[in-house]
Amino acid sequence: MLHVRSGLGALFGLLLLAGCNTFSADGGLAPVVALTRQELGKEIAAIRTEAAAAEARAEVARLLKRPLTADSAVKIALINNRGLQAAYNELAIAEAAMVGASLPPNPTITLARLAGSGEVEIERRIIADILALATLPVRADIAADRFRQAQWRAAAETLRVAADARRAFYRAVAARRLANFLAEAQDSARLASELGRRLGQTGAISKLDQAREQVLYADITTQVAVARQRAESERERLIRMLGLWGADTDFRLAAALPPLPRRVQSLPAIEAEAVRRRLDLQIARLEVEALAKSQGLTRATRFINLLEVSGQWKRTRLEDGDKIRQRGIEVELQVPLFDFGEVRARTAEHTYLEAVNRLIEKAVHVRSEARDAYRAYRAAYDIAQHYQREVLPLRQIISEEMMLRYGAMQIDVFALLTEARQRLAANVAAIEAHRDFWLAHTDLFVAVVAGSPAGDAAPSGKPLMATTPESPGH
């Protein structure tokens, strides 16, 4: 019986040794913090105590004292977005699952007492799952891969929230800029309409010219109402991304979008960069690795569904008072009479192959998305620069020349109003092109690094001003 006692002692030693696993102090957040610093240059924190919550509220209040910029919007979102905090809670749950998977199964202790015919039997039994102990290293390794996947998912969610906060900021600022610009145009159109009405009363201009000036004012008034509603909606979208409520929603936005960079980024190896850095591709790789290990485990245990060993101590007290002690072990093995494990092995094999094919497909998509995002970024930059350097200066020259000719009575009021519509449309398009560049800049970062969907992207809607000049008609 010495070898039995030694085996059981070794078993309990293994149980105690494995029980020394502990949780990390930050719930597995360290890689997420490092990646956020590297890619965004920002700090994150999991808010899990009242002190941490108070510190986050103080930081948000400090950032909101000044006009909100893209960087400050990202900082607020990273510490105040509750959806992101929930993702960090999921990471802590994944760490708990990893620690749990690395522990051996708890042994089962049974006690039995039987009495009758002058005999009393007391039986004690400790049962441990030997199969679970034998496969513990592999299962722990697989659980560690799953935990690393959870860390990459938390990092991807962090970058997604940051990108969505930037997008919401750019849309909110551009929408407010459009509303303010059209409001200024509305004031000018209102004065022109009032002047036309007075001149029409004196007979200085025809009713047709007077109606044309009034309809321009009416059209711009409609566009102002649409622009103001859109600006409020975009501001609310930004508020939701930053997790603000109450008095915090009264923040001030920056006066304008950031200026265009002097030169566009040159990324000749955009595909390789995306394949190397995309977080969703890293998650897919870990999935393939975990399934490969799981497939090996399935093959190793395909013929054994349950294998338990139990150490038994049995004591019997006879009528004359003598006691009989018995010791031994009991092994329970499920015989694969019908199921030889082929179903599990085949399922594991094709699950692995499915993950491999999904990984290859994702790599192809990542390359395409990176190329497409870079082309959109270059095109958005060229368009925004074209408006600023060519279209708007030329429109200003045309406007000044048209006013001179109108004052010299060389053109009629319709030509002047047509030019005013085109100038308004050009300015609106320039503002939207400026916004679209910064949105494309953010999308390029997402395509190369984060790998998340376009977030809460929303179409900008129809242009506020038509670019086609009104036909004069007869």
Short mmCIF file of all heavy atoms in Angstrom, two decimals, residues 188-219:
data_model
loop_
_atom_site.label_atom_id
_atom_site.label_comp_id
_atom_site.label_asym_id
_atom_site.label_seq_id
_atom_site.Cartn_x
_atom_site.Cartn_y
_atom_site.Cartn_z
N SER A 188 -27.24 87.94 -45.24
CA SER A 188 -27.00 88.70 -46.46
C SER A 188 -28.17 88.58 -47.42
O SER A 188 -28.60 89.56 -48.04
CB SER A 188 -25.72 88.22 -47.14
OG SER A 188 -24.60 88.40 -46.29
N ALA A 189 -28.71 87.36 -47.56
CA ALA A 189 -29.85 87.16 -48.45
C ALA A 189 -31.09 87.89 -47.95
O ALA A 189 -31.89 88.40 -48.74
CB ALA A 189 -30.13 85.67 -48.60
N ARG A 190 -31.25 87.95 -46.64
CA ARG A 190 -32.40 88.66 -46.09
C ARG A 190 -32.32 90.16 -46.40
O ARG A 190 -33.32 90.78 -46.78
CB ARG A 190 -32.46 88.44 -44.57
CG ARG A 190 -33.62 89.16 -43.89
CD ARG A 190 -33.61 88.87 -42.40
NE ARG A 190 -32.33 89.26 -41.79
CZ ARG A 190 -32.03 90.53 -41.46
NH1 ARG A 190 -32.88 91.52 -41.69
NH2 ARG A 190 -30.86 90.79 -40.89
N LEU A 191 -31.12 90.74 -46.24
CA LEU A 191 -30.95 92.16 -46.57
C LEU A 191 -31.19 92.41 -48.05
O LEU A 191 -31.84 93.41 -48.43
CB LEU A 191 -29.54 92.61 -46.18
CG LEU A 191 -29.23 92.60 -44.68
CD1 LEU A 191 -27.77 92.96 -44.44
CD2 LEU A 191 -30.15 93.57 -43.92
N ALA A 192 -30.69 91.50 -48.92
CA ALA A 192 -30.92 91.66 -50.36
C ALA A 192 -32.40 91.53 -50.70
O ALA A 192 -32.92 92.27 -51.56
CB ALA A 192 -30.10 90.63 -51.13
N SER A 193 -33.08 90.59 -50.03
CA SER A 193 -34.50 90.42 -50.30
C SER A 193 -35.30 91.64 -49.86
O SER A 193 -36.22 92.09 -50.56
CB SER A 193 -35.01 89.17 -49.57
OG SER A 193 -36.40 89.01 -49.74
N GLU A 194 -34.93 92.20 -48.71
CA GLU A 194 -35.63 93.40 -48.23
C GLU A 194 -35.38 94.59 -49.17
O GLU A 194 -36.31 95.37 -49.48
CB GLU A 194 -35.15 93.74 -46.82
CG GLU A 194 -35.80 94.96 -46.20
CD GLU A 194 -37.30 94.80 -45.99
OE1 GLU A 194 -37.79 93.65 -45.95
OE2 GLU A 194 -37.98 95.84 -45.89
N LEU A 195 -34.14 94.72 -49.64
CA LEU A 195 -33.83 95.80 -50.58
C LEU A 195 -34.59 95.61 -51.88
O LEU A 195 -35.12 96.58 -52.45
CB LEU A 195 -32.33 95.83 -50.84
CG LEU A 195 -31.84 96.90 -51.84
CD1 LEU A 195 -32.21 98.30 -51.35
CD2 LEU A 195 -30.35 96.76 -52.07
N GLY A 196 -34.67 94.36 -52.35
CA GLY A 196 -35.41 94.10 -53.59
C GLY A 196 -36.87 94.41 -53.44
O GLY A 196 -37.51 94.92 -54.37
N ARG A 197 -37.43 94.11 -52.25
CA ARG A 197 -38.85 94.40 -52.04
C ARG A 197 -39.11 95.91 -52.10
O ARG A 197 -40.08 96.37 -52.72
CB ARG A 197 -39.29 93.84 -50.70
CG ARG A 197 -40.79 93.99 -50.42
CD ARG A 197 -41.12 93.49 -49.03
NE ARG A 197 -40.46 94.29 -48.01
CZ ARG A 197 -40.94 95.48 -47.57
NH1 ARG A 197 -42.05 96.00 -48.11
NH2 ARG A 197 -40.30 96.14 -46.64
N ARG A 198 -38.20 96.69 -51.49
CA ARG A 198 -38.39 98.14 -51.51
C ARG A 198 -38.21 98.70 -52.91
O ARG A 198 -38.96 99.60 -53.35
CB ARG A 198 -37.40 98.80 -50.55
CG ARG A 198 -37.67 98.47 -49.08
CD ARG A 198 -36.63 99.11 -48.18
NE ARG A 198 -36.87 98.78 -46.78
CZ ARG A 198 -36.07 99.19 -45.78
NH1 ARG A 198 -35.00 99.93 -46.05
NH2 ARG A 198 -36.36 98.84 -44.55
N LEU A 199 -37.20 98.19 -53.63
CA LEU A 199 -37.00 98.66 -55.01
C LEU A 199 -38.18 98.25 -55.88
O LEU A 199 -38.56 98.99 -56.81
CB LEU A 199 -35.70 98.09 -55.57
CG LEU A 199 -34.41 98.61 -54.94
CD1 LEU A 199 -33.21 97.89 -55.52
CD2 LEU A 199 -34.27 100.12 -55.17
N GLY A 200 -38.75 97.09 -55.61
CA GLY A 200 -39.91 96.67 -56.39
C GLY A 200 -41.11 97.58 -56.15
O GLY A 200 -41.90 97.84 -57.07
N GLN A 201 -41.24 98.07 -54.94
CA GLN A 201 -42.34 98.99 -54.63
C GLN A 201 -42.21 100.31 -55.39
O GLN A 201 -43.20 100.95 -55.73
CB GLN A 201 -42.41 99.24 -53.13
CG GLN A 201 -42.85 98.03 -52.32
CD GLN A 201 -42.79 98.29 -50.82
OE1 GLN A 201 -42.24 99.31 -50.38
NE2 GLN A 201 -43.37 97.37 -50.05
N THR A 202 -40.95 100.69 -55.65
CA THR A 202 -40.72 101.95 -56.38
C THR A 202 -40.68 101.74 -57.87
O THR A 202 -40.56 102.72 -58.64
CB THR A 202 -39.39 102.58 -55.93
OG1 THR A 202 -38.32 101.70 -56.25
CG2 THR A 202 -39.41 102.86 -54.43
N GLY A 203 -40.70 100.47 -58.31
CA GLY A 203 -40.64 100.18 -59.74
C GLY A 203 -39.24 100.14 -60.28
O GLY A 203 -39.06 100.08 -61.51
N ALA A 204 -38.21 100.18 -59.42
CA ALA A 204 -36.82 100.18 -59.91
C ALA A 204 -36.41 98.82 -60.46
O ALA A 204 -35.55 98.74 -61.33
CB ALA A 204 -35.87 100.59 -58.78
N ILE A 205 -37.01 97.74 -59.95
CA ILE A 205 -36.73 96.40 -60.48
C ILE A 205 -38.05 95.73 -60.76
O ILE A 205 -39.11 96.09 -60.19
CB ILE A 205 -35.89 95.56 -59.51
CG1 ILE A 205 -36.63 95.32 -58.19
CG2 ILE A 205 -34.54 96.21 -59.24
CD1 ILE A 205 -35.92 94.36 -57.27
N SER A 206 -38.01 94.74 -61.63
CA SER A 206 -39.23 94.03 -62.00
C SER A 206 -39.66 93.06 -60.91
O SER A 206 -38.88 92.73 -60.01
CB SER A 206 -39.00 93.27 -63.30
OG SER A 206 -38.05 92.23 -63.09
N LYS A 207 -40.89 92.61 -61.03
CA LYS A 207 -41.40 91.63 -60.08
C LYS A 207 -40.62 90.31 -60.19
O LYS A 207 -40.44 89.60 -59.20
CB LYS A 207 -42.88 91.37 -60.31
CG LYS A 207 -43.77 92.54 -59.89
CD LYS A 207 -45.24 92.15 -60.04
CE LYS A 207 -46.15 93.29 -59.55
NZ LYS A 207 -47.58 92.94 -59.70
N LEU A 208 -40.15 89.98 -61.40
CA LEU A 208 -39.38 88.75 -61.59
C LEU A 208 -38.08 88.81 -60.81
O LEU A 208 -37.72 87.86 -60.10
CB LEU A 208 -39.10 88.53 -63.08
CG LEU A 208 -38.24 87.31 -63.42
CD1 LEU A 208 -38.91 86.03 -62.93
CD2 LEU A 208 -37.97 87.26 -64.93
N ASP A 209 -37.35 89.92 -60.92
CA ASP A 209 -36.09 90.05 -60.18
C ASP A 209 -36.34 90.07 -58.68
O ASP A 209 -35.55 89.51 -57.89
CB ASP A 209 -35.36 91.31 -60.61
CG ASP A 209 -34.83 91.21 -62.03
OD1 ASP A 209 -34.69 90.07 -62.50
OD2 ASP A 209 -34.58 92.26 -62.65
N GLN A 210 -37.43 90.71 -58.29
CA GLN A 210 -37.76 90.76 -56.86
C GLN A 210 -38.07 89.35 -56.35
O GLN A 210 -37.61 88.95 -55.27
CB GLN A 210 -38.97 91.67 -56.65
CG GLN A 210 -39.42 91.78 -55.20
CD GLN A 210 -40.67 92.63 -55.03
OE1 GLN A 210 -41.12 93.27 -55.99
NE2 GLN A 210 -41.23 92.63 -53.84
N ALA A 211 -38.80 88.56 -57.11
CA ALA A 211 -39.13 87.19 -56.70
C ALA A 211 -37.87 86.32 -56.63
O ALA A 211 -37.73 85.45 -55.76
CB ALA A 211 -40.14 86.59 -57.65
N ARG A 212 -36.94 86.54 -57.55
CA ARG A 212 -35.71 85.75 -57.55
C ARG A 212 -34.88 86.01 -56.30
O ARG A 212 -34.29 85.09 -55.72
CB ARG A 212 -34.89 86.08 -58.80
CG ARG A 212 -35.44 85.43 -60.06
CD ARG A 212 -34.74 85.97 -61.29
NE ARG A 212 -35.17 85.24 -62.48
CZ ARG A 212 -34.89 85.62 -63.74
NH1 ARG A 212 -34.18 86.73 -63.94
NH2 ARG A 212 -35.30 84.91 -64.76
N GLU A 213 -34.81 87.24 -55.86
CA GLU A 213 -34.08 87.54 -54.63
C GLU A 213 -34.79 86.95 -53.41
O GLU A 213 -34.13 86.45 -52.48
CB GLU A 213 -33.94 89.05 -54.48
CG GLU A 213 -32.98 89.68 -55.47
CD GLU A 213 -32.67 91.12 -55.14
OE1 GLU A 213 -33.25 91.63 -54.17
OE2 GLU A 213 -31.85 91.73 -55.85
N GLN A 214 -36.10 86.99 -53.43
CA GLN A 214 -36.84 86.45 -52.30
C GLN A 214 -36.74 84.93 -52.22
O GLN A 214 -36.67 84.35 -51.13
CB GLN A 214 -38.31 86.90 -52.39
CG GLN A 214 -38.51 88.38 -52.12
CD GLN A 214 -39.95 88.81 -52.29
OE1 GLN A 214 -40.76 88.08 -52.89
NE2 GLN A 214 -40.27 89.99 -51.79
N VAL A 215 -36.73 84.26 -53.39
CA VAL A 215 -36.64 82.81 -53.36
C VAL A 215 -35.26 82.35 -52.91
O VAL A 215 -35.11 81.29 -52.29
CB VAL A 215 -37.01 82.21 -54.74
CG1 VAL A 215 -35.87 82.35 -55.74
CG2 VAL A 215 -37.38 80.73 -54.60
N LEU A 216 -34.21 83.12 -53.22
CA LEU A 216 -32.89 82.78 -52.71
C LEU A 216 -32.88 82.83 -51.18
O LEU A 216 -32.35 81.93 -50.52
CB LEU A 216 -31.85 83.74 -53.27
CG LEU A 216 -30.43 83.56 -52.73
CD1 LEU A 216 -29.88 82.18 -53.09
CD2 LEU A 216 -29.50 84.65 -53.24
N TYR A 217 -33.47 83.85 -50.64
CA TYR A 217 -33.55 83.96 -49.18
C TYR A 217 -34.35 82.81 -48.59
O TYR A 217 -33.98 82.22 -47.56
CB TYR A 217 -34.16 85.30 -48.80
CG TYR A 217 -34.49 85.45 -47.33
CD1 TYR A 217 -33.48 85.42 -46.37
CD2 TYR A 217 -35.80 85.60 -46.89
CE1 TYR A 217 -33.77 85.54 -45.02
CE2 TYR A 217 -36.10 85.72 -45.55
CZ TYR A 217 -35.09 85.69 -44.62
OH TYR A 217 -35.39 85.81 -43.28
N ALA A 218 -35.45 82.45 -49.26
CA ALA A 218 -36.29 81.34 -48.76
C ALA A 218 -35.53 80.02 -48.81
O ALA A 218 -35.59 79.21 -47.88
CB ALA A 218 -37.57 81.25 -49.58
N ASP A 219 -34.76 79.81 -49.89
CA ASP A 219 -33.98 78.56 -50.00
C ASP A 219 -32.92 78.48 -48.91
O ASP A 219 -32.73 77.43 -48.28
CB ASP A 219 -33.32 78.48 -51.38
CG ASP A 219 -34.33 78.20 -52.48
OD1 ASP A 219 -35.44 77.77 -52.15
OD2 ASP A 219 -33.98 78.42 -53.66
#
